[in-house]
Amino acid sequence: MDMTHIPDLITPAIPVFVITVIAEALWVRKLRQERGDTLKGHTWKDTFASISMGLGNVAVSVFWKGVAFAGYAALYHLTPLRLGHGLVAWVLLFFLEDLCYYAFHRVHHESRLFWASHVVHHSSQHYNLSTALRQTWTPMTGWVFWAPLALLGFSPEMIVTQQAISLLYQYWIHTEAIDRLPRPVEWLFNTPSHHRAHHASNTAYIDVNYAGILIIWDRLFGTFVPETERPIYGLTKNLTTHNPVRIAFHEFAAIARDAARPGPLSQRLGYIFRNPAWKPKGAPRPEAAPPSVEAAHPAP
């Protein structure tokens, strides 16, 4: 297997990302003039912070994609299963990869150690195409969720290609410029409306709509909530910085501080692995929480 030719659909798309972010900013500015302040819009600092996070993710991925690909290749060689590269295999991979993404996404909201990586993507108080570029600098927490695909007999090239297709699909849904789409599309696919709810910190939208491409997994597993009230974007405790380094690592630092507090081992592990809003009885809540609130995640 040639490790020097790992499929890469993301890097060639970077010019398209830049052009569409600019086009969207101009279009949303026009819509804001027509509608007043019903759209959140863009700011220079927020947009540049998001782009900086995206560029950092690309730089980290130069190394990490090779490691992940090698891991998939190792598992692929361990299994006797081979599904080939035909149409049926690609259709099956489309659904299974999307299910893997749902599991990845849900766990990265419901376990604090994983959330520390994913919180980057939710740290903006704006919602636009640049927000889609606000990606983690610690992608190492995700590999295990797609590893079963290699054991099922999907080639590493197919896995990373379908991952990229999913990521590219999710780019365009990060916008306020598109309202609701026709009902059959809204029922089956992840859309800007569904994903706006996911990025909101409103109580009604806590921990919902984990979809990648298909919203059917949320409907099936009970995590779907339609967009009914105006979303308030960001975290329940928002960052006050646009510094990319702080955005990338602030929650890891908060976990370290909380885990260092006096207490039994079970408490320390709870701060690391339990829900990001968890706290032991009588203890102050962790410094940073995901788009979750006490009402949604009451302390035990």
Side-chain angles (χ1 to χ4, degrees):
M1 189 169 297
D2 188 355
M3 297 288 291
T4 65
H5 291 88
I6 302 173
D8 181 12
L9 304 183
I10 303 301
T11 303
I14 291 176
V16 177
F17 295 156
V18 174
I19 292 170
T20 52
V21 165
I22 295 171
E24 182 204 30
L26 296 174
W27 179 247
V28 169
R29 181 179 179 182
K30 179 179 182 295
L31 293 178
R32 280 171 59 86
Q33 292 172 347
E34 295 174 354
R35 303 181 190 179
D37 64 349
T38 58
L39 300 181
K40 188 71 173 178
H42 303 64
T43 67
W44 286 108
K45 286 184 177 181
D46 181 80
T47 298
F48 279 124
S50 294
I51 292 174
S52 297
M53 299 308 301
L55 292 174
N57 175 267
V58 170
V60 171
S61 295
V62 169
F63 164 76
W64 177 246
K65 282 184 178 179
V67 175
F69 191 87
Y72 296 139
L75 295 178
Y76 184 66
H77 284 298
L78 283 175
T79 179
L81 301 177
R82 291 294 182 270
L83 294 177
H85 295 80
L87 178 60
V88 173
W90 277 105
V91 172
L92 184 60
L93 178 61
F94 171 80
F95 286 98
L96 291 179
E97 190 282 330
D98 206 50
L99 179 58
C100 289
Y101 180 85
Y102 175 88
F104 152 84
H105 201 179
R106 185 166 181 173
V107 170
H108 277 68
H109 275 256
E110 296 182 354
S111 174
R112 194 180 181 195
L113 180 64
F114 293 94
W115 171 250
S117 173
H118 186 61
V119 66
V120 170
H121 186 59
H122 286 266
S123 60
S124 174
Q125 297 178 57
H126 296 259
Y127 189 77
N128 50 63
L129 293 177
S130 75
T131 308
L133 306 179
R134 188 176 284 230
Q135 296 291 327
T136 181
W137 291 0
T138 54
M140 304 78 182
T141 58
W143 181 86
V144 66
F145 294 92
W146 284 272
L149 296 177
L151 291 174
L152 287 174
F154 293 103
S155 73
E157 294 89 350
M158 292 177 68
I159 295 171
V160 298
T161 297
Q162 188 57 44
Q163 286 176 321
I165 291 171
S166 176
L167 194 60
L168 290 172
Y169 176 90
Q170 293 176 60
Y171 172 71
W172 73 274
I173 63 176
H174 290 81
T175 186
E176 294 181 293
I178 299 174
D179 196 6
R180 282 178 172 79
L181 298 172
R183 186 172 297 179
V185 178
E186 294 284 346
W187 193 92
L188 183 60
F189 292 99
N190 197 10
T191 64
S193 177
H194 300 329
H195 207 57
R196 283 193 292 269
H198 175 74
H199 270 259
S201 60
N202 312 48
T203 301
Y205 297 145
I206 298 303
D207 292 344
V208 302
N209 300 357
Y210 297 116
I213 297 176
L214 301 173
I215 200 68
I216 58 174
W217 311 115
D218 288 286
R219 296 184 186 278
L220 181 63
F221 296 119
T223 52
F224 173 71
V225 171
E227 181 188 28
T228 54
E229 61 185 65
R230 181 179 177 182
I232 301 171
Y233 304 113
L235 309 174
T236 55
K237 182 176 181 180
N238 285 306
L239 298 178
T240 58
T241 180
H242 293 97
N243 183 321
V245 175
R246 290 188 60 190
I247 293 172
F249 300 111
H250 72 276
E251 181 67 357
F252 287 106
I255 289 175
R257 288 192 294 271
D258 288 331
R261 294 177 181 181
L265 178 61
S266 60
Q267 174 180 304
R268 297 172 189 268
L269 293 176
Y271 277 130
I272 297 171
F273 294 107
R274 296 188 65 166
N275 190 281
W278 176 84
K279 68 169 185 177
K281 289 183 179 179
R285 190 162 295 281
E287 294 185 19
S292 302
V293 292
E294 288 99 315
H297 295 293

